Amino acid sequence: MSILSVRDLSIHIRDARPVDGISFDIAAGECYALLGESGCGKSMTALGLMRLLPAAAEVASGNIDFEGRELLALPESGMRDIRGGGIGMIFQEPATSLNPVLTVGRQIVEALELHSDLRGAAARARAEQLLDQVGIPDPKRRLDEFPFQLSGGLRQRVMIAIALAGSPRLLIADEPTTALDVTIQAQVLDLLDELRRTQGMALLLITHDLGVVARMADRIGVMYAGQLVEEAPREAFFARPAHPYSVRLFAALPDAENRGGRLTTIPGSVPAADVRHAGCRFVERCGEALPACAATLPPWRAIESGQRVRCHLPGAAPAVAIKVGAGDTAASGESTPLLDVSDLQVHFPIRRGILQRAVGAVRAVDGLSLRLMPGRTLALVGESGCGKTTAGKAMLQLIRPTAGSVRLDGNELTALSTQELRPLRAKMQMVFQDPFASLNPRLRIGDIIAEGMQALGVAGSPAARIGGLLEQVGLRADMAARYPHEFSGGQRQRIAIARALAVNPQLLICDEPTSALDVSVQAQILNLLSDLQRDLKLAYLFITHNIAVVDYLAHDVAVMYLGRVVESGSAAEVLRSPRHPYTQALLAAVPRVDGVRGDAPKLAGDMPSPANPPAGCHFHPRCPLADEACRREYPAQRSFGATQLVRCIKAD
Amino acid sequence: MIQPVLLWSDALLFVLIAAIVALALWARRQEPLRAAWGRVLKDGVAMAAATVLAAFIVVGLLDSLHYRARLDAKPGEPVRYAVEVNSALDALLSDLRQRSEKTYSAPLATHLYAKEALGDSAQRDFPRLRHGGTHLGADLSGHEFDVAMRVSRGCAGGVALWLVLAALWCRHKRISLVATLKVGAGGTATGAVFITLLAIFLLLGIAISLGGGYHVFGTDKVGQDVLYLSLKSIRTGLLIGTLTTLVMLPLAVLLGILAGYVGGWVDDVIQYLYTTLSSIPGVLLIAAAVLMMQVIIDTHPDWFATSAERADARLLALCLILGMTSWTGVARLLRAETLKLRELEFVQAAQAFGVGRFAIMRRHILPNLMHIVLIALVMDFSGLVLAEAVLSYVGVGVDPSTISFGTMINTARMELAREPMVWWSLAAAFGFMFALVLAANLFADAVRDAFDPRSSA
């Protein structure tokens, strides 16, 4: 018995059709996942269900049947009972979905008063109960706190508590964990799963993450360019994805098995929403397209056991062969490190009072040591707030370190003045996280790439060199005259890489270079980075929280927690036999595509503030193994295996 | 025949116009700028406002071509020029300028607004005007009919002129008149321009036709034509609006960016400066500075050849002082935006290349602030036109001999208290100023929308 039944829903924004005739059903207590890359219409569908579309968008046709009521025919006042009371919704960004000037309790009580008869003390008691239900410790105290006093994970729990206040029968979760760290993501996903089971609440999960889908969903709908292209139960989908797009999504995922090889990429990008399609929307990016694909829209075809697919191809799409590349690209054997960081510290003073006296310091990086050999990739892994980005910038001297030493090719950088540093800047460059913020929108691509060459006086004809660089990163030389806004996210990231390469660096610090990109585009960028490493013998310091990318790309791994490296060593050793309890928990928290759950204990709580780190081992408040000795002093470094260094007295 | 006179304010105005033309030519070649201005061109309201603004600017420019007429002299004597400095607008409006009455007269009146003793009799009555309605002769029964005739003749003339212009445009673009009014060429809102032009031409035709025989907006206390005064005020308003911005903008941009980007003690000093400046009441500061300037002007009469130059010096001083006090708001805005831009990754990428501070400010910060600068510029213009009116009303504005909206309103203050009330100077000043400021604001709104990055997606 389906609780929600959507038929032929189309949403138009002027000429664009972000959602174009989608139909699906959700049964009571079921978790249905809408899977797709950015821009394919997932969020627009969710907003359409709630009738909360932006002003320019309108529902052009279709029916939305919720518990026997036609939502599109309801008056706005009737819709208000449905919102919150029938269908709850939680959003991606916990930082902005709570009102910063109201206490948590006030915001939950507001939802309770709207959807129940509870008032005053009774409502407050119920709010406390809800906070307790979503696993917030000490709920009585939290009721009177403001959102800024809570961490991201706690805020998302509060959002869930507010959504639960109306006892909805269906909860729409729009990328609920995308903005959260993996350990927090695991906590929130567990919570959602438990609520679904105990309350019998249906869940519409909107996500781009195959791992989250594998962990949560009962059934999956794959969206592409405003349409559903495949619908299947979880087991069938992960065993035999049927649509060529689904197949490629799996093949584009980086992991240890295709390490050293090339990832399968999907050429091109999702077509714009205002393009009209006669046939299949995926035809331009599909390797197996038949003549019929471009001409007629493929009908739904049932395969087996509830799986259905919109594709002309007879039978399931062929599995995409993974081409194995030249093998490990590491140029090992050299013994002098290109980058040698020891005891790096970056402290930001906390100033108070009229005289702006420093009363303390945020120890963003607090004694970080690592070495990177030429031509190799070192991944710096950690959750947000652990100081990895600050460490990267401090190594580049974009932020001057408080103490410690950074040696690049034997030169001590921390002692140099800005002028003396300039010639060395050509040897190390940075690729930033957000390709939309890292290119100046007012400059042409050619000028952006030429900037470093001019500043550092790189010899040779700039025009020819810019053309060559653009081709090297997979763009066309004639694109130099265009402006950044004409390019997609993946193309912009290629431009950012070309800009860094323009000065012939030996070291590239990549700060989450793929975290803002879709899976298929991420694969293109990772392929490009490994090609460049092979051809140019580049060394990468790869700052990331994405363990799958690390597994695919990195030779060495350093795991950071609260400003310090807690475990380091070769990728094989650290990722296969992690010894630090934090590394173990981090790896176990990553949702896996095969749905297998790690058996390591789940981490409770959040990372402490770097302004006030715990005494002794920083990890002890969250560590399942911690005892009195851990609280006394920071553990010394212990060596395991060939390369593994661990800072934990309990490790064995 | 004449001796051209280039006042300082004229020179600055022409330099400004040249700079705007050069900027426009440069912007044509910049893709994002051209796209943004293209959106302005497609906006009907913006183009109508721009047409009205253009009409004001034409009047202001005509009023900035100054000259001294040559005095009639016997042959053999050295050439001598009049003391009075006139402008091209004065020459065009010489009728209006010279046909002054004795004192107040109502719009389109034939008699003065004040009773006088007529001839040697003891009876007091409203005397006939010296110029207004004289063509009617002694019989005043045809007054209304004459006014109606002149209005319809003016309308006809305006429509005819407009039709000629529209026909020329249609021939040039090879499209029909209806098509021009509907969409216009290339999506540009020519329809709005032409409809606005029609309104302007109609008003112009009526004013010319009526102005031939009457005082359209009446006369003021000393019998000067109010329409003439209003037209002359336009230049003052425009000058104050633009030249002040010219003084203010470099200060605001330079200090705002420096404070935001460099930070540290530079930021402290600049913030201290503008906090101090903006906490002194503006009028007080301006009054003190203007009075000081007046003293300097009065003690150095030898610096100025004509009274026009003296008035001009005071006008420029006012612009300078207004500029010095009004940069703080924009600077604060730019500092905040720079603080945001400074943390963006493209600035850090430039830092990673070792690009110098000033190069980063010029290449990466300034171009990304230009939309704010532009919006602030157009927004401030209308504020400054109003500020001049307020300051002149208080008595610390322009030279009393300079005709401006402020001085007109200042004199109207007394007239409103008079019985019967004299309302037309205030109404005329109000009407012109309202049209100018409204046009500038509407245009600024459209520019802001067109340059809003969120709407350009």
Side-chain angles (χ1 to χ4, degrees), chain B residues 75-209:
Chain B
E77 279 186 20
V79 182
R80 294 203 309 177
Y81 294 97
V83 195
E84 196 184 10
V85 176
N86 282 328
S87 70
L89 187 74
D90 293 326
L92 279 177
L93 303 176
S94 57
D95 270 3
L96 291 185
R97 186 164 62 94
Q98 282 156 7
R99 290 190 314 198
S100 61
E101 305 293 342
K102 198 167 172 193
T103 179
Y104 295 117
S105 70
L108 305 178
T110 52
H111 290 81
L112 269 185
Y113 203 57
K115 280 184 181 172
E116 276 182 12
L118 293 176
D120 45 2
S121 73
Q123 196 186 3
R124 286 161 59 86
D125 201 356
F126 298 105
R128 280 295 292 270
L129 294 180
R130 270 179 280 184
H131 303 283
T134 40
H135 57 283
L136 295 171
D139 179 23
L140 291 179
S141 59
H143 183 201
E144 279 94 2
F145 178 72
D146 184 56
V147 169
M149 274 308 293
R150 279 171 184 270
V151 168
S152 48
R153 246 183 287 152
C155 287
V159 171
L161 187 62
W162 182 75
L163 280 176
V164 170
L165 198 75
L168 283 175
W169 172 263
C170 293
R171 251 178 83 97
H172 174 65
K173 290 280 172 189
R174 299 183 190 290
I175 45 171
S176 73
L177 182 61
V178 180
T180 305
L181 291 186
K182 248 186 210 155
V183 242
T188 308
T190 40
V193 173
F194 271 98
I195 289 169
T196 318
L197 274 181
L198 178 62
I200 292 175
F201 283 171
L202 279 177
L203 290 176
L204 188 70
I206 295 171
I208 290 173
S209 165

Side-chain angles (χ1 to χ4, degrees), chain A residues 559 566-570 572-585 587 619 623 625 638-652:
Chain A
V559 181
V566 294
E567 178 164 5
S568 65
S570 70
E573 279 182 320
V574 174
L575 299 179
R576 296 294 156 268
S577 54
R579 291 178 194 271
H580 197 285
Y582 175 66
T583 318
Q584 290 168 353
L587 293 178
F619 187 60
C623 182
L625 309 175
R638 297 167 62 199
S639 179
F640 292 90
T643 56
Q644 207 166 357
L645 299 170
V646 182
R647 281 188 178 270
C648 178
I649 53 171
K650 301 279 175 189
D652 48 24

Side-chain angles (χ1 to χ4, degrees), chain A residues 123-205:
Chain A
R124 201 177 147 82
R126 173 75 185 129
E128 190 181 324
Q129 211 179 344
L130 281 168
L131 283 185
D132 191 43
Q133 199 178 352
V134 296
I136 291 181
D138 198 2
K140 207 177 182 67
R141 182 169 60 89
R142 296 292 186 186
L143 275 180
D144 294 318
E145 291 195 339
F146 287 92
F148 73 89
Q149 291 168 295
L150 308 179
S151 66
L154 285 184
R155 277 185 221 162
Q156 196 63 302
R157 285 167 188 264
V158 171
M159 270 309 292
I160 295 172
I162 292 175
L164 291 180
S167 334
R169 271 82 69 199
L170 170 68
L171 183 66
I172 301 177
D174 188 356
E175 304 267 9
T177 56
T178 307
L180 304 176
D181 284 311
V182 276
T183 57
I184 311 296
Q185 164 170 298
Q187 296 169 5
V188 171
L189 290 181
D190 278 346
L191 170 66
L192 284 174
D193 209 29
E194 187 198 316
L195 289 172
R196 182 167 70 89
R197 276 187 283 106
T198 53
Q199 318 243 318
M201 186 176 63
L203 186 63
L204 173 59
L205 181 71

Side-chain angles (χ1 to χ4, degrees), chain B residues 239-392:
Chain B
L239 266 182
I240 300 249
T242 50
L243 292 186
T244 307
T245 319
L246 213 62
V247 174
M248 172 195 93
L249 212 56
L251 271 176
V253 170
L254 188 74
L255 295 178
I257 294 181
L258 269 179
Y261 187 74
V262 179
W265 65 267
V266 178
D267 188 20
D268 288 346
V269 168
I270 293 171
Q271 278 198 69
Y272 192 82
L273 194 68
Y274 69 54
T275 313
T276 311
L277 254 182
S278 50
S279 53
I280 302 173
V283 176
L284 215 67
L285 203 65
I286 293 166
V290 165
L291 291 178
M292 262 160 57
M293 188 64 199
Q294 192 57 46
V295 171
I296 293 174
I297 290 173
D298 289 345
T299 48
H300 298 90
D302 49 315
W303 288 0
F304 309 101
T306 58
S307 66
E309 283 180 29
R310 204 162 56 231
D312 192 57
R314 176 147 168 188
L315 183 66
L316 283 184
L318 184 67
C319 290
L320 195 73
I321 295 150
L322 269 176
M324 296 299 282
T325 51
S326 58
W327 60 270
T328 53
V330 184
R332 207 174 286 199
L333 212 64
L334 293 180
R335 172 179 173 271
E337 188 70 12
T338 308
L339 282 177
K340 197 181 86 189
L341 287 174
R342 185 179 71 171
E343 299 303 323
L344 281 188
E345 291 174 343
F346 63 80
V347 174
Q348 294 188 357
Q351 287 167 347
F353 284 122
V355 179
R357 273 180 179 179
F358 286 95
I360 288 179
M361 285 187 236
R362 187 175 53 78
R363 271 171 71 91
H364 294 292
I365 307 281
L366 182 62
N368 285 295
L369 292 175
M370 278 321 275
H371 63 288
I372 295 183
V373 170
L374 197 95
I375 293 157
L377 196 145
V378 192
M379 288 290 195
D380 278 359
F381 170 79
S382 36
L384 290 166
V385 173
L386 297 176
E388 183 275 327
V390 170
L391 290 173
S392 297

Side-chain angles (χ1 to χ4, degrees), chain A residues 270-333:
Chain A
V270 180
D274 53 0
V275 176
R276 292 280 179 281
H277 306 268
C280 174
R281 283 150 200 244
F282 190 60
V283 62
E284 287 157 16
R285 304 173 74 187
C286 184
E288 296 90 26
L290 305 169
C293 293
T296 52
L297 181 66
W300 279 109
R301 209 151 44 76
I303 300 177
E304 58 189 81
S305 61
Q307 194 171 9
R308 55 187 196 137
V309 60
R310 230 173 183 167
C311 184
H312 282 301
L313 292 173
V320 180
I322 293 169
K323 288 162 274 177
V324 175
D328 214 325
T329 52
S332 51

Side-chain angles (χ1 to χ4, degrees), chain A residues 324-459:
Chain A
V324 175
D328 214 325
T329 52
S332 51
E334 291 189 52
S335 54
T336 46
L338 176 65
L339 180 73
D340 188 352
V341 179
S342 64
D343 206 27
L344 184 72
Q345 294 185 1
V346 184
H347 295 181
F348 298 108
I350 304 170
R351 295 182 191 281
R352 289 272 160 75
I354 278 180
L355 296 175
Q356 296 288 296
R357 277 189 310 168
V359 294
V362 176
R363 297 153 186 266
V365 181
D366 196 22
L368 175 104
S369 305
L370 46 84
R371 319 174 100 195
L372 174 57
M373 297 298 165
R376 282 176 75 87
T377 302
L378 169 65
L380 193 56
V381 184
E383 294 179 281
S384 58
C386 74
K388 53 192 194 303
T389 297
T390 310
K393 288 180 179 165
M395 289 174 210
L396 272 179
Q397 308 297 313
L398 288 178
I399 302 171
R400 287 295 188 155
T402 313
S405 117
V406 180
R407 299 177 78 83
L408 179 74
D409 227 5
N411 299 297
E412 176 59 52
L413 301 182
T414 51
L416 298 181
S417 72
T418 312
Q419 291 302 320
E420 293 165 327
L421 209 53
R422 194 163 287 172
L424 287 169
R425 288 209 178 275
K427 289 190 180 175
M428 50 174 187
Q429 274 305 314
M430 189 151 183
V431 176
F432 294 90
Q433 174 174 7
D434 183 357
F436 290 87
S438 67
L439 305 179
N440 185 345
R442 307 271 166 170
L443 290 182
R444 288 171 202 274
I445 302 308
D447 296 329
I448 289 173
I449 296 176
E451 175 157 55
M453 295 158 68
Q454 285 160 4
L456 297 174
V458 175

